[in-house]
Amino acid sequence: MEFFCYHRDRADSVALRERLLERHWSYMDGFARQLIARGPTYAPDGETPTGSVHIVDLPDSAAARAFAFDEPNYQAGAYRDVLLRRWRNMLGRTMWDFPGGSSGGNRYLVLGLGPDPSADPAEPPKDEDLVAYGPLLSDDGTAWLGTAALVRASDAATARAVLTADLYAEVEVHDWEFGGRR
């Protein structure tokens, strides 16, 4: 089962996250084979971290909750909240298989939160700039709750346009970059 996990930073947690960086990476190393995508999000200044995205293939919801809540930054109080949802990999690849590579261009996390569970958009848009794309689902995988996409785009407005506006109650766009050890 695939899961989308977005840890959102608590205000003023940058120093704590910096101190825990090696523990975070070591923790994620244990999930290297299961990771579909990962990476930090940033404030519009492009430098201040605002969260951490992980899309991971795990056996079940209990394993996903353990993944999200045993993470060292979460345990230390660096995160304000966690969005954890079942997810379906509509592109059938990892971010490391993205034809556009890991550098060049701006990257974004686009989250569309759906108002109506029956509105499930069936297919991803035809866009060679999609790094990852899939529906956010209920715990049992039967109800569509929104969509999460990782996108390469010239700007936030272009990234936002990857989601059809009228399907979502709210759309968030966050600067994002490929994550992992440097």
Side-chain angles (χ1 to χ4, degrees), residues 25-49:
W25 282 347
S26 293
Y27 181 80
M28 290 302 156
D29 287 347
F31 295 94
R33 291 185 177 174
Q34 294 101 323
L35 285 167
I36 295 165
R38 68 185 288 188
T41 58
Y42 292 93
D45 67 10
E47 295 191 21
T48 306

Side-chain angles (χ1 to χ4, degrees), residues 64-170:
R65 284 188 294 278
F67 170 84
F69 299 115
D70 290 346
E71 194 276 338
N73 289 317
Y74 179 83
Q75 289 290 309
Y79 298 130
R80 169 183 61 136
D81 59 54
V82 179
L83 173 62
L84 180 63
R85 289 284 175 220
R86 294 256 319 255
W87 189 77
R88 187 171 49 246
N89 188 350
M90 300 295 288
L91 301 180
R93 66 176 185 232
T94 71
M95 72 178 201
W96 298 276
D97 300 321
F98 172 59
S102 62
S103 62
N106 301 318
R107 310 298 169 105
Y108 299 92
L109 164 63
V110 183
L111 286 175
L113 305 176
D116 178 2
S118 66
D120 185 8
E123 295 295 321
K126 304 294 183 222
D127 190 330
E128 69 267 3
D129 288 325
L130 290 175
V131 177
Y133 183 94
L136 298 169
L137 304 168
S138 60
D139 285 348
D140 65 4
T142 62
W144 174 79
L145 304 173
T147 304
L150 299 173
V151 182
R152 178 180 62 186
S154 58
D155 55 48
T158 303
R160 197 256 171 256
V162 77
L163 300 184
T164 306
D166 62 346
L167 287 180
Y168 301 94
E170 179 182 347

